[in-house]
Amino acid sequence: MILNIFRNRFFTYYFLVFIVFTFIIVLFQFYREREYRRDRFKAVLDNVSGLAHNYLEKNKQEDSYDYEDLNNLITIVPLSNIRITIIDKQGSVLFDSDVGDYELMENHIGRPEVREAIKNNTGTSVRRSSSTGKKYFYYAHN
């Protein structure tokens, strides 16, 4: 009788410890996977921003850029739902691939990813766009 009680308690404690460790491992793996996907997405967006920069430099027209040409680039980038916005050093929007009247958009200098890019050369944030209402992973490259 006492042996059965001991076995039941031992099994219960062992099972609870197993459940707690399993939960910790699953939680750790979830956060690790999320960071991996974020880093991978940052690498892809870094390549796209470099591609856009090189495309603009190659197609430069006498010290001016024709940013509308970026619409051609977006059609050949193998990513769906990508949005490219070009801003100047003061935060004024020079081009946006999703917004037709981008000249009327608010200044972007205060955006978290832009402020981070000014400090660290690149910046990221996940937030809802005030112009389209969609949630985006923003990547800014200085």
Side-chain angles (χ1 to χ4, degrees):
M1 179 85 167
I2 293 176
L3 190 59
N4 284 339
I5 293 172
F6 177 74
R7 283 182 189 164
N8 288 341
R9 283 187 181 170
F10 182 74
F11 176 76
T12 303
Y13 292 135
Y14 181 74
F15 186 71
L16 287 174
V17 168
F18 176 76
I19 293 296
V20 168
F21 278 125
T22 302
F23 179 75
I24 290 170
I25 290 170
V26 167
L27 193 63
F28 173 76
Q29 187 62 27
F30 171 77
Y31 284 112
R32 188 171 162 220
E33 182 68 24
R34 189 172 76 174
E35 282 300 311
Y36 170 76
R37 284 185 308 212
R38 186 181 184 106
D39 289 344
R40 186 170 168 220
F41 201 51
K42 281 169 53 175
V44 168
L45 291 177
D46 190 53
N47 288 336
V48 170
S49 69
L51 182 66
H53 175 75
N54 292 342
Y55 184 83
L56 288 172
E57 284 293 317
K58 183 168 176 45
N59 296 317
K60 192 174 182 178
Q61 305 285 331
E62 300 176 15
D63 296 330
S64 68
Y65 292 104
D66 185 12
Y67 296 111
E68 295 299 325
D69 279 348
L70 282 175
N71 286 320
N72 298 329
L73 177 67
I74 290 172
T75 61
I76 62 171
V77 171
L79 296 172
S80 61
N81 299 326
I82 191 159
R83 178 181 179 191
I84 295 178
T85 304
I86 306 290
I87 63 171
D88 64 11
K89 296 284 185 191
Q90 290 75 36
S92 300
V93 177
L94 303 174
F95 172 79
D96 191 291
S97 61
D98 277 4
V99 179
D101 53 349
Y102 53 83
E103 297 90 1
L104 303 175
M105 292 175 71
E106 66 187 45
N107 193 293
H108 283 40
I109 201 72
R111 305 282 169 93
E113 67 277 0
V114 174
R115 285 184 287 157
E116 187 179 341
I118 290 170
K119 291 179 190 173
N120 304 325
N121 200 34
T122 62
T124 61
S125 72
V126 177
R127 59 181 175 78
R128 191 166 304 281
S129 169
S130 59
S131 55
T132 65
K134 296 178 185 176
K135 194 172 185 179
Y136 287 100
F137 179 89
Y138 285 92
Y139 177 82
H141 189 199
N142 195 358

